[in-house]
Amino acid sequence: MPITADQRRAVAHCLANAIPFVVYAEPGDSHVTFYADDGASQPLLSECFRIHGWRDRVVATIVPRLDEVSAPHFNPNPAPSNLSFTLPSSTPKDTYIKNVRDIIAKRKANGGKTVFSRVETLEISTDTSLTAIERLFSLPSPRMNCAWFTPETGAWLMSSPEVLLRCDKESYFTMALAGTRKIGSQGEWDNKNSEEQSLVTRYIVERLRSMGLNPDVSEPFTLPAGNIEHICQTITGLLGKHTPSMMASLLSPTPAVAGLPVYESLADIERLEAQSRDCYAGFCEITREDVGEYQAWVVLRCARFSPTKAVFYAGGGITGQSSAEKEWTETVAKLTPIRSLFL
């Protein structure tokens, strides 16, 4: 579903004036939702959009106080200042290959996996970013297509295939998503990807059981995600006494974006990734308390952008069976759909 002309004007005004906003379409939505936040001190409404950066290092909330008609008429007073962000440079291929080989050797010796990421940077213009947001909403479901700006996070867009958590008043839904290959590949999944998927599933189930929950797990199936596909298992159950936001924080980061053992993988990421992940591999959540709905999506297939630059993030699960060259190729495939929005 396309973004409307009013929504485009509202997005342009918010970006130009550093007004927090979000524009999104969840899978199955018949329209695109936009709202902005004027920072009024009135009590928070029952709906909000909240961004949790990687390991909750940045948390920002957008409350729907302005719509696409009223937002272009709002001008913050005083005007925001000092909102420039330093965006990282592209990861050199030789550096990436060297670091992945380091992780492969470690995983051959110790088992498990580390999700290692890189970035690619592109020079752009303000008009390019607006066009990219318009194109974003032409991408197909079942993905969460979304763009936002807050002073804490800067401007981002994403087209994520991965639900972190979905809840109604009684039940929850999550998924274990791992393994990557070209869309339409024939035959069974190889051992490397199957192992990666089983690690993710096992970890999520263990986390849910540690909360006293009794999850039901589907059989593995192949989930298309643009030009690639993944192995997926859905995990469902009754919510019990837990709040959705608390559950999401306990599930994040999953092994699909961090690795296993978790703390060892996080140490690898801190040691070897030159760029900060910022919002990449964190999650965004939409809460509608009045109707008891909650959605949280992992921030994947994403870009952070400024008026002059866009930075694209992609990672892959590195195990003892990985090939450094194939992992590079996998990140290229993951970057391509979002990067193409800016070209």
Side-chain angles (χ1 to χ4, degrees):
M1 68 294 299
I3 190 172
T4 69
D6 283 344
Q7 289 171 340
R8 189 186 194 281
R9 281 190 291 271
V11 168
H13 181 77
C14 289
L15 287 173
N17 293 278
I19 300 167
F21 79 90
V22 61
V23 56
Y24 69 88
E26 298 174 73
D29 280 354
S30 59
H31 66 282
V32 176
T33 297
F34 169 93
Y35 53 79
D37 193 338
D38 63 5
S41 59
Q42 66 205 57
L44 294 182
L45 305 180
S46 62
E47 179 174 347
C48 73
F49 181 91
R50 184 172 288 112
I51 306 104
H52 295 254
W54 172 245
R55 302 188 70 186
D56 268 358
R57 288 176 180 165
V58 179
V59 180
T61 302
I62 303 168
V63 176
R65 296 185 173 108
L66 302 168
D67 63 16
E68 54 261 51
V69 176
S70 58
H73 301 288
F74 172 70
N75 292 292
N77 185 22
S81 60
N82 195 28
L83 288 178
S84 60
F85 294 92
T86 301
L87 301 185
S89 301
S90 297
T91 306
K93 183 176 180 180
D94 58 348
T95 302
Y96 174 88
I97 295 293
K98 176 181 178 295
N99 287 334
V100 169
R101 285 175 176 161
D102 179 307
I103 297 169
I104 291 170
K106 185 176 181 180
R107 291 310 183 187
K108 280 182 178 177
N110 301 330
K113 78 164 187 173
T114 296
V115 178
F116 188 64
S117 72
R118 71 175 183 92
V119 295
E120 186 171 314
T121 302
L122 183 69
E123 300 296 323
I124 64 166
S125 68
T126 299
D127 286 343
T128 303
S129 59
L130 288 172
T131 299
I133 291 172
E134 285 186 299
R135 290 172 174 168
L136 173 70
F137 291 97
S138 67
L139 296 177
S141 293
R143 289 180 282 191
M144 170 61 159
N145 294 328
C146 181
W148 72 83
F149 168 84
T150 74
E152 298 89 349
T153 64
W156 289 74
L157 62 74
M158 73 172 195
S159 183
S160 178
E162 185 170 352
V163 176
L164 178 65
L165 187 66
R166 181 185 295 139
C167 299
D168 58 24
K169 292 180 179 179
E170 297 181 350
S171 60
Y172 66 86
F173 168 98
T174 185
M175 61 168 58
L177 190 72
T180 303
R181 67 184 186 184
K182 282 186 178 181
I183 189 76
S185 297
Q186 300 300 309
E188 298 295 321
W189 285 84
D190 62 25
N191 288 337
K192 184 266 179 185
N193 284 292
S194 297
E195 176 193 1
E196 189 182 339
Q197 164 65 17
S198 66
L199 288 170
V200 174
T201 303
R202 197 156 57 241
Y203 175 85
I204 293 174
V205 168
E206 288 172 358
R207 292 294 283 171
L208 292 169
R209 286 177 176 161
S210 75
M211 300 177 213
L213 301 173
N214 186 27
D216 293 319
V217 184
S218 76
E219 291 297 317
F221 61 93
T222 298
L223 180 70
N227 60 335
I228 56 179
E229 58 191 21
H230 306 287
I231 311 173
C232 183
Q233 288 177 272
T234 61
I235 303 169
T236 58
L238 296 177
L239 195 56
K241 63 182 180 180
H242 301 284
T243 65
S245 191
M246 180 180 71
M247 285 181 64
S249 292
L250 287 170
L251 288 172
S252 179
T254 72
V257 294
L260 275 176
V262 172
Y263 291 107
E264 185 177 331
S265 301
L266 293 175
D268 286 340
I269 291 166
E270 293 291 330
R271 178 172 61 92
L272 295 173
E273 289 189 5
Q275 75 283 350
S276 170
R277 289 195 173 192
D278 298 314
C279 292
Y280 168 67
F283 65 96
C284 59
E285 59 185 1
I286 301 169
T287 303
R288 301 184 184 95
E289 292 181 357
D290 54 340
V291 293
E293 291 181 356
Y294 177 91
Q295 301 254 13
W297 293 81
V298 183
V299 180
L300 295 173
R301 312 297 184 267
C302 60
R304 185 179 185 183
F305 59 93
S306 71
T308 60
K309 189 180 290 186
V311 179
F312 311 99
Y313 295 73
I318 313 302
T319 73
Q321 300 181 60
S322 294
S323 155
E325 286 287 347
K326 287 182 179 178
E327 293 295 339
W328 174 269
T329 301
E330 179 179 314
T331 61
V332 171
K334 289 177 175 177
L335 288 168
T336 297
I338 295 300
R339 188 178 185 277
S340 68
L341 300 179
F342 289 83
L343 297 177

